[in-house]
Amino acid sequence: VKPVRSRINRRAFLRGAGTVAVGLPFLEGVPERSAFAQDDNPVFGLFVVTSCGVVQKPGGGSDPEKFWPTADGPLTTESMNAFAADRCTGILAPHASRLLILRGINYPHRSSGCGHAQGLVQSLTSSQPNGGGNTSTASGISIDTHIAKAVNPQGVEPLALYAGMKGGYINEKVSFSAAGQVRAMEGNPYNVYQRLMGLATPSTGTGGTGGTGGSSGMADQIVLQRKSVNDLVREDMKALLARTDLSSADRMRLDQHLQSIRDMENTIIGMGRGCTLDGLDVQAMEQLKSGNAFRNDSSQEQVSRLQMELAAFAFACNATRVAVLQVGDGTDASRYTLDGQKVERFHYISHRIQGDGTTGAAIPQAVEWHTAIDRIRMEGLKGVLDKWAAYETVGGPLLDRGFLMWTSHVATGPAHSFNNLPIIIAGSAGGYLKQGQFINGGNVTNNRLFNTLATAMGVPTTNFGGSGLTGGELDVIKA
Amino acid sequence: VGGTSAGTSAGGNAGTSGTGAGGTGGTGNPTGYDIPLDGVPINSHYVRLTHQQWENSVRDLLKLTAVPGLASMFASDTSDGMFSNNERRLFVTSTLWADYQRAAEDLAKRVAMDAQARTAIGATGDAATFIRTFGRRAYRRPLEAVEQQRYEALFASAATLYTGGDAFANGVELVIRAMLQSPHFIYRTELGTNEAPLSGYEVASKLSFLLRDTMPDDALFDAAERGDLSTIDGALAQARMMVDSPTAVPVLAKYHNELFGLFRYEGIEKDRTAFPNYQPTMNQAFMDADRMFFDSIFQSGQGLREILLSTKAFVNSAIAPLYDTTANGSGMTEVTLGPERPGFFTRVSFLAYNANLRDPDPIHRGVDMMHRLLCINMVPPPGEIPPLPAAMPGQTNRERVTAHTGSGECAGCHAVSINPLGFSLENFDALGQTRTMDAGKTVNTADSYELASTGIVSFAGAPELMAILAESPDAHACYSRRLGEFVLARDMNETDRQLLNEMLATSTGTAGSIKNMLLAAIRSPRFSTRTGGAQ
């Protein structure tokens, strides 16, 4: 299969160029021709880390089992529908043939402090957390960084997204660009959209693109102007990097900056048919963009859905191969509406008390509410998978060419268990993963899962997470 | 390889001659208590502007009437370190670079295509003059000859890179685009070898970003050009004017906001049945009231003592009743509270934030005071945290917390340190209102606490505790350390001990004002010389 080579759509390009309020399109994020040209079958991966555990029996103390499928083995729409009323994963029944639900996966390192922070830190790094409280940090890079370094063009970071409130106790804590260096995440879907929209072909049916009526010569001009400006800035950067009085930390910092300066190519290759604004809910993004709307206590689920759709859009436009989404933090203060009533903060509910720590009166309905919230989260995931099934990337439908891994930063609510993490993988990653299965991973650490997923993405990996861990792939999930 | 470069350079590196700053042998520690200085600075010579500094600098550089508001769409920084100006947070990722590019293009177009705006930034005569004068302000130092040449070439290239429009305006647009993306605009630099003095221009920028949160104005540039800022006395003379200017007020407001976590108040929530008088709109009033409290302390030349002891408060009609007083309208007015309300930690905002939906939360009141006032970083409890059981009939909140945390493994931190500080505030309910009874019993606010400096102290309640803390080396040293971190825009470690002692001596002295503490820090060679470099 040859990649689709198409000229960038000039109408879209010039629409951006002619609208000062919107700014010029973010074509810098687009990989240069050389980077992806030799790879005809890209694999895309989105890692989603939600908050505060699920209601499950293993490690859940007195909690009932409300999450897992009823039996190991094949999953079909029919078999999942049969338990959908009782177990929330059943809500995903329409996508049964694309699912790999995985139990028996644990964090490598035991909690020695705040379970939330240390769970977040390990969720995508498998590394030993340093520090116990909200300053806890990873001793290694996260899997999205590992993959991006290998498959993204130089300087293109993973798309790092956040959904929910910040300013709480922990904030973003799953994606690490280096040991100890957490990656900031974008919580406003509209900003993500702004950065990516220049890639898209115009949405059908929206009409009137603003009559800039430009020519291809105008696009060429913009490319050349940017090149001239970039060249001058590079001269400044190189002069600084040539100094002999730089510390290694500053050298690293300036080098990262220099690598970020990318020229725009007027010809973009490898954009899938899904690289269109059609699949995006721009209206919702605009409604949420200002003030606290995108990060208030009831916007988390909607923002989460928008961010997962934007990740699909970025994949379809070949802007990055890997993305990561953190939904809520360790002390998630989101308040869900259940049966028309806005209930306590999710973190309180997950602790079963009115408090972020040990103090607070018991919440009698907490298990019931947590169960209902898990179901809302599964409904949201199902909606995203409906969209993902329709996305066309350069290599084919996104659920064939990529995967979405959904997990939570702790396995259970009150006990903060690090074992039997809830893991749902949708999509085959180019046929590398088993599909339509509920599988017991065998009580192994999550680095094995990441070795497998990285390898699926074309980054052969056996020892992610450090040498102290049992390495190798998780053969039981490979097709 | 991580970015830790602990200062191992106390000894004499070959080649670094004496700095000539002199006079570092001065003040010892006046209190006898040495607070740990265990930060991990990377001593970066390239500290990126914060997003707020970028906004303010663009406004001033381009002579805009207001900040452009573009940074709200920039990739956010991580929350590394306590303050938003900490060097560890401030670097350029590929996403942020793209954000800078977009903003630069937007702004350059806006200014260059508007004749009035061009005139305002001096883009009138010939290209070379514009580049020289505008370049000094964008780079915050005179351009070097090679830089001037590069920009003149870029300006001239506009003739071929644009097909229409005014050639001069196009050249101006390209130059602004490039200067806004240059590392010399994006970073505040401290170039040179370890322990060499900063240049006058670097001092101008350091002072201006610290005390005005923006680039230097022309007067400061001129002072640098004259050489006025190359001596500590010269820099201090400028700094004195700057700390007395209204432009310093929002900077210190930001400092106290981040130090005491006022931004967290937006998450306050109360049970509407237990507190029918609570409205979510109060959260903004809480933030405004505390900001005005700290503004008032700073502007009136006061310091930590008054932060802990002042009975002034700011209220509007919504929150005044929480203090059993009244006020008109939504605007804030100053009131004087009774002696039971000394200082920040007895304000309704702090108390309501550190409370549950219905009950006061003495544990988090205590933890917040230890962390933010005494610089004690608590290690979270190990393993799984058993939930606090519901109160038994007749059991007070204090009795319940004590029963749950006051013995066994928990007691090591809770019984000795956390709970006593929190219990001193048990006469304030979950919304910060005064209460005398809990579960049918008189509330008990008496306890004792072991200060690292002087040992165990006993108190009957918050007024006595605050009076003790206001004279304690612990609180003064912590406040000095935090303010020092803010001034230096980095963590502090043992090599900064002398600077800390200078600030501490000021804080504990009779005129212990925040303004004088800032000046004490600026007087230190740690402010005006480079730290770190090639290894």
Side-chain angles (χ1 to χ4, degrees):
Chain A
V1 182
K2 280 281 166 200
V4 181
R5 288 170 193 269
S6 58
R7 299 285 290 177
I8 179 170
N9 183 292
R10 294 193 182 280
R11 263 175 82 218
F13 186 97
L14 293 168
R15 180 185 45 186
T19 317
V20 172
V22 168
L24 292 164
F26 263 58
L27 290 168
E28 312 78 15
V30 179
E32 289 176 38
R33 186 187 338 218
S34 54
F36 284 165
Q38 65 273 41
D39 184 353
D40 289 356
N41 287 305
V43 176
F44 304 94
L46 168 64
F47 297 88
V48 181
V49 182
T50 64
S51 60
C52 297
V54 300
V55 178
Q56 61 160 317
K57 199 162 185 62
S62 58
D63 280 4
E65 179 52 63
K66 291 289 178 186
F67 183 80
W68 298 105
T70 45
D72 289 350
L75 295 171
T76 65
T77 299
E78 191 182 9
S79 74
M80 291 185 77
N81 273 330
F83 59 75
D86 187 45
R87 312 286 180 89
C88 68
T89 45
I91 291 168
L92 305 175
H95 297 284
S97 66
R98 305 299 192 106
L99 293 178
L100 193 170
I101 301 180
L102 182 59
R103 67 185 179 94
I105 303 294
N106 309 331
Y107 288 146
H109 307 283
R110 294 185 54 188
S111 174
S112 62
C114 173
H116 291 291
Q118 297 202 336
L120 283 161
V121 163
Q122 290 189 68
S123 64
L124 297 182
T125 70
S126 308
S127 75
Q128 176 75 52
N130 288 326
N134 58 353
T135 58
S136 183
T137 187
S139 55
I141 61 171
S142 53
I143 189 64
D144 51 310
T145 301
H146 175 72
I147 291 165
K149 280 184 172 176
V151 302
N152 273 3
Q154 189 167 37
V156 177
E157 295 174 278
L159 182 64
L161 309 169
Y162 190 92
M165 305 171 79
K166 284 192 198 173
Y169 180 61
I170 296 177
N171 297 337
E172 57 259 82
K173 193 73 95 180
V174 299
S175 180
F176 288 82
S177 56
Q181 183 64 64
V182 72
R183 177 176 281 113
M185 305 180 113
E186 178 61 65
N188 188 342
Y190 189 77
N191 287 354
V192 182
Y193 163 69
Q194 286 276 288
R195 294 190 179 107
L196 294 168
M197 66 172 288
L199 301 175
T201 53
S203 178
T204 52
T206 53
T209 54
T212 50
S215 63
S216 66
M218 190 169 163
D220 292 335
Q221 271 182 27
I222 293 171
V223 170
L224 291 173
Q225 288 163 11
R226 284 188 170 167
K227 177 83 166 56
S228 297
V229 169
N230 285 349
D231 284 346
L232 190 149
V233 174
R234 281 194 193 95
E235 291 296 323
D236 273 356
M237 296 293 307
K238 285 175 183 165
L240 290 175
L241 277 161
R243 296 182 65 97
T244 55
D245 52 19
L246 283 182
S247 69
S248 57
D250 276 339
R251 188 171 300 282
M252 201 168 72
R253 189 171 274 212
L254 292 176
D255 202 54
Q256 181 188 11
H257 184 167
L258 178 61
Q259 297 297 341
S260 298
I261 301 172
R262 293 186 299 282
D263 295 323
M264 180 176 72
E265 297 225 354
N266 201 0
T267 305
I268 306 301
I269 62 121
M271 298 208 300
R273 279 185 288 129
C275 184
T276 155
L277 300 180
D278 288 347
L280 296 177
D281 189 348
V282 178
Q283 196 182 358
M285 291 189 268
E286 285 179 340
Q287 282 166 357
L288 291 170
K289 72 178 180 182
S290 303
N292 287 333
F294 64 90
R295 55 184 178 95
N296 67 28
D297 67 3
S298 50
S299 59
Q300 179 165 290
E301 282 301 316
Q302 191 185 13
V303 170
S304 172
R305 172 178 68 82
L306 292 169
Q307 299 282 46
M308 287 192 260
E309 290 171 12
L310 281 161
F313 175 67
F315 293 154
C317 297
N318 221 349
T320 178
R321 293 280 168 82
V322 59
V324 54
L325 168 67
Q326 180 179 329
V327 185
D329 74 359
T331 55
D332 190 347
S334 291
R335 298 180 64 207
Y336 285 80
T337 298
L338 306 175
D339 294 331
Q341 182 204 352
K342 203 168 170 180
V343 297
E344 305 277 14
R345 300 168 189 214
F346 181 37
H347 186 236
Y348 289 5
I349 291 170
S350 81
H351 277 200
R352 317 293 188 237
I353 56 168
Q354 283 158 354
D356 285 316
T358 59
T359 59
I363 302 174
Q365 317 93 316
V367 173
E368 182 192 324
W369 285 348
H370 195 156
T371 303
I373 289 167
D374 284 348
R375 295 188 71 84
I376 288 172
R377 301 198 284 188
M378 283 303 121
E379 292 284 358
L381 180 58
K382 177 191 164 292
V384 169
L385 295 183
D386 292 346
K387 286 264 181 97
W388 271 49
Y391 259 101
E392 283 288 330
T393 72
V394 57
L398 182 50
L399 282 180
D400 287 343
R401 296 309 320 163
F403 66 86
L404 183 162
M405 182 191 121
W406 185 100
T407 186
S408 179
H409 70 251
V410 287
T412 59
H416 297 156
S417 174
F418 281 10
N419 296 329
N420 211 42
L421 297 158
I423 292 172
I424 300 167
I425 299 170
S428 69
Y432 199 81
L433 302 173
K434 279 182 184 160
Q435 299 272 269
Q437 293 282 326
F438 176 38
I439 292 174
N440 181 359
N443 214 23
V444 301
T445 49
N446 66 345
N447 59 305
R448 304 274 302 275
L449 171 62
F450 295 135
N451 286 337
T452 315
L453 294 178
T455 304
M457 292 187 71
V459 190
T461 304
T462 57
N463 62 350
F464 178 76
S467 56
L469 305 172
T470 303
E473 290 187 64
L474 191 57
D475 290 332
V476 69
I477 65 170
K478 289 164 68 175
Chain B
V1 181
T4 58
S5 62
T8 52
S9 56
N13 259 340
T16 57
S17 59
T19 62
T24 56
T27 321
N29 184 341
T31 69
Y33 165 66
D34 281 336
I35 195 170
L37 288 179
D38 51 3
V40 188
I42 56 176
N43 294 309
S44 179
H45 290 185
Y46 302 86
V47 180
R48 207 204 70 211
L49 307 194
T50 67
H51 289 342
Q52 187 63 55
Q53 288 168 347
W54 184 93
E55 282 279 321
N56 295 344
S57 296
V58 161
R59 176 199 60 204
D60 297 345
L61 177 65
L62 299 175
K63 310 279 190 189
L64 308 177
T65 51
V67 293
L70 296 170
S72 64
M73 292 182 60
F74 286 0
S76 59
D77 293 319
T78 58
S79 47
D80 206 354
M82 186 160 242
F83 300 111
S84 55
N85 70 350
N86 190 295
E87 60 178 357
R88 280 205 309 272
R89 297 183 182 192
L90 301 173
F91 50 88
V92 177
T93 63
S94 60
T95 308
L96 183 58
W97 171 78
D99 290 341
Y100 280 148
Q101 184 188 49
R102 176 172 53 166
E105 291 177 354
D106 181 354
L107 289 163
K109 188 175 222 56
R110 232 193 272 177
V111 170
M113 297 306 141
D114 177 341
Q116 223 175 342
R118 283 203 307 273
T119 306
I121 59 166
T124 47
D126 64 301
T129 306
F130 162 65
I131 289 166
R132 188 172 301 111
T133 54
F134 187 76
R136 183 179 85 149
R137 297 175 58 242
Y139 276 46
R140 302 184 287 272
R141 59 161 172 78
L143 297 185
E144 292 165 10
V146 62
E147 293 164 341
Q148 174 81 19
Q149 283 164 13
R150 272 190 217 130
Y151 277 105
E152 288 180 19
L154 181 70
F155 192 105
S157 74
T160 55
L161 291 175
Y162 290 76
T163 50
D166 178 78
F168 188 83
N170 291 339
V172 170
E173 183 184 331
L174 274 186
V175 167
I176 295 175
R177 270 166 72 165
M179 286 193 180
L180 288 179
Q181 294 178 65
S182 166
H184 296 285
F185 176 76
I186 289 170
Y187 299 96
R188 183 182 62 75
T189 58
E190 299 190 2
L191 304 181
T193 52
N194 190 29
E195 296 190 6
L198 302 184
S199 75
Y201 283 101
E202 288 173 335
V203 171
S205 285
K206 197 166 184 176
L207 284 174
S208 187
F209 283 117
L210 170 63
L211 297 174
R212 292 177 182 156
D213 223 19
T214 188
M215 60 174 274
D217 61 10
D218 287 339
L220 215 43
F221 280 133
D222 292 343
E225 190 173 328
R226 287 193 304 268
D228 292 357
L229 301 178
S230 302
T231 65
I232 286 183
D233 284 345
L236 268 179
Q238 292 289 340
R240 272 192 203 98
M241 287 190 288
M242 293 167 82
V243 296
D244 282 331
S245 160
T247 50
V249 177
V251 178
L252 272 294
K254 185 171 66 177
Y255 165 71
H256 287 113
N257 179 21
E258 293 173 2
L259 175 62
F260 292 114
L262 313 186
F263 56 87
R264 301 175 299 170
Y265 297 168
E266 72 178 30
I268 291 176
E269 179 61 279
K270 295 299 153 197
D271 182 307
R272 305 301 167 80
T273 310
F275 295 99
N277 55 340
Y278 171 75
Q279 294 296 327
T281 50
M282 285 181 179
N283 294 359
Q284 185 62 47
F286 290 151
M287 282 186 268
D288 292 344
D290 281 3
R291 178 179 49 77
M292 293 179 76
F293 175 79
F294 287 109
D295 285 355
S296 166
I297 299 278
F298 171 68
Q299 284 185 289
S300 53
Q302 298 176 324
L304 177 70
R305 279 196 193 91
E306 289 79 14
I307 290 174
L308 294 174
L309 298 176
S310 171
T311 52
K312 75 180 139 196
F314 292 84
V315 295
N316 64 8
S317 61
I319 65 172
L322 305 180
Y323 289 114
D324 288 324
T325 181
T326 55
N328 292 323
S330 57
M332 291 283 166
T333 42
E334 184 177 337
V335 294
T336 301
L337 305 175
E340 77 284 3
R341 294 271 191 181
F344 166 73
F345 292 100
T346 60
R347 294 295 164 269
V348 289
S349 40
F350 172 84
L351 297 164
Y353 175 75
N354 287 299
N356 299 324
L357 294 172
R358 284 178 275 279
D359 297 315
D361 185 351
I363 292 176
H364 285 94
R365 287 174 179 180
V367 167
D368 232 18
M369 288 168 69
M370 292 178 73
H371 176 53
R372 294 173 187 274
L373 179 65
L374 300 173
C375 291
I376 296 169
N377 285 322
M378 305 298 297
V379 177
E384 295 164 11
I385 305 169
L388 192 72
M392 292 183 290
Q395 191 181 32
T396 66
N397 192 45
R398 175 171 179 156
E399 287 165 349
R400 183 169 62 131
V401 171
T402 303
H404 191 61
T405 62
S407 61
E409 188 181 21
C410 309
C413 293
H414 279 274
V416 180
S417 303
I418 299 172
N419 297 357
L421 294 178
F423 287 153
S424 75
L425 301 166
E426 272 294 278
N427 57 325
F428 301 113
D429 70 14
L431 198 46
Q433 303 167 112
T434 304
R435 66 175 188 174
T436 55
M437 305 292 285
D438 182 19
K441 299 175 188 167
T442 305
V443 290
N444 177 7
T445 57
D447 216 317
S448 60
Y449 178 83
E450 184 170 3
L451 289 168
S453 61
T454 53
I456 293 175
V457 293
S458 297
F459 48 86
E464 284 188 19
L465 173 62
M466 292 303 152
I468 292 166
L469 292 173
E471 296 305 325
S472 71
D474 310 59
H476 284 277
C478 178
Y479 189 83
S480 301
R481 174 180 170 177
R482 295 302 186 212
L483 192 60
E485 289 170 353
F486 185 74
V487 168
L488 297 171
R490 60 168 172 81
D491 287 359
M492 288 169 76
N493 64 13
E494 273 303 328
T495 65
D496 300 308
R497 179 65 69 186
Q498 183 61 36
L499 179 146
L500 180 94
N501 286 343
E502 303 274 358
M503 296 180 78
L504 183 53
T506 308
S507 185
T508 54
T510 47
S513 78
I514 298 165
K515 289 181 179 183
N516 286 338
M517 293 177 74
L518 288 167
L519 295 173
I522 291 164
R523 192 184 298 118
S524 163
R526 298 301 280 174
F527 182 83
S528 53
T529 55
R530 304 166 221 287
T531 309
Q535 296 125 32

